Amino acid sequence: MPGGESITIPVDLGNVTAGRSVSAALLAWRSPGDRRFTAAETELLTAIGPHLRTLVVRLLDVAGGGKRNALDPETGLWPLPSFLAQADRRFDRLDIEERVGTMFAIGWVKSGGATGSEASSAVIRESAETLRDMLRPSDLIGRIGPTRLAAWCDGVDHLIAAERGDRIVARLDAMLAGTGRHAAIGIASRWARSGDDPATVLANARAGLEQARLTSAATGRPVVRIWQSEIS
């Protein structure tokens, strides 16, 4: 309104609205007769903005009226069925554009006599945030199992993926220092018009992940493995 004052703080939705053109913001407004926002109030509003992401996503899911695309409540990532459905839409477009893409399967392994689960809930949550931070906003990220995450990256071939995988696994492994656990990543690329569907490419990436986990358990270090077909 004329003479009023407003502050707009964008809410970063990251990858949690993949496949939907959605934006959100925190809007604070004062009428012309009220005092102006102080620097401290502006700083507080700016700090609050990022914490609204989970609320916004839940409101969007309720508005959508369907459980099929509900997000994983612990990480805010796509669960397996929705992750595969979102990837399938990407595959159709990449076939038309004749572009490559790569799937990452991410997991953990215990070594050195460690007990307990491979990855705690805190590690899973922090790993999801790490992936959002390190990958592009356009990349698709999902939770495909209790201790398994996955990411699909358009336009990324196996060479770029290997370099990116090394950076990701090093960052994830740093969270596990001293726990007797390590991060591992399997990589599988899909070439345009290969005919491979998302479930097949994810299965290939998970096969690479299992190879990485075996090596990690034996060597006591994080490992990245690129899946390769046995057919030459």
Side-chain angles (χ1 to χ4, degrees), residues 74-89:
E74 190 170 26
T75 62
L77 302 179
W78 293 111
L80 179 58
S82 298
F83 177 79
L84 293 175
Q86 294 292 332
D88 192 51
R89 299 188 184 99

Side-chain angles (χ1 to χ4, degrees), residues 137-149:
S138 60
D139 293 331
L140 184 65
I141 309 175
R143 185 174 187 177
I144 59 172
T147 58
R148 296 290 184 269
L149 304 179

Side-chain angles (χ1 to χ4, degrees), residues 1 3 17 34 47 50 62-63 70 72 84 107 112 115-116 134 138 143 168 183 192 201 211 220-221:
M1 294 178 62
T17 57
D34 293 335
V62 171
D72 174 61
L84 293 175
T115 59
M134 298 188 72
S138 60
R143 185 174 187 177
I168 293 172
V201 181
Q211 295 171 1
R221 59 182 178 82

Side-chain angles (χ1 to χ4, degrees), residues 108-110 114-121 123-124 146-147 176 179-181:
W108 291 264
V109 63
K110 294 184 291 184
T115 59
S117 63
E118 296 171 354
S120 66
S121 295
V123 168
I124 297 297
T147 58
L176 303 170
T179 67
R181 294 165 174 78

Side-chain angles (χ1 to χ4, degrees), residues 120-139:
S120 66
S121 295
V123 168
I124 297 297
R125 290 193 300 270
E126 291 177 21
S127 297
E129 289 301 322
T130 296
L131 289 175
R132 290 190 183 101
D133 181 51
M134 298 188 72
L135 296 178
R136 303 167 301 183
S138 60
D139 293 331

Side-chain angles (χ1 to χ4, degrees), residues 4-8 27-30 37:
E5 181 186 20
S6 64
I7 298 175
T8 302
L27 174 63
W29 176 83
R30 279 181 171 162
F37 288 105

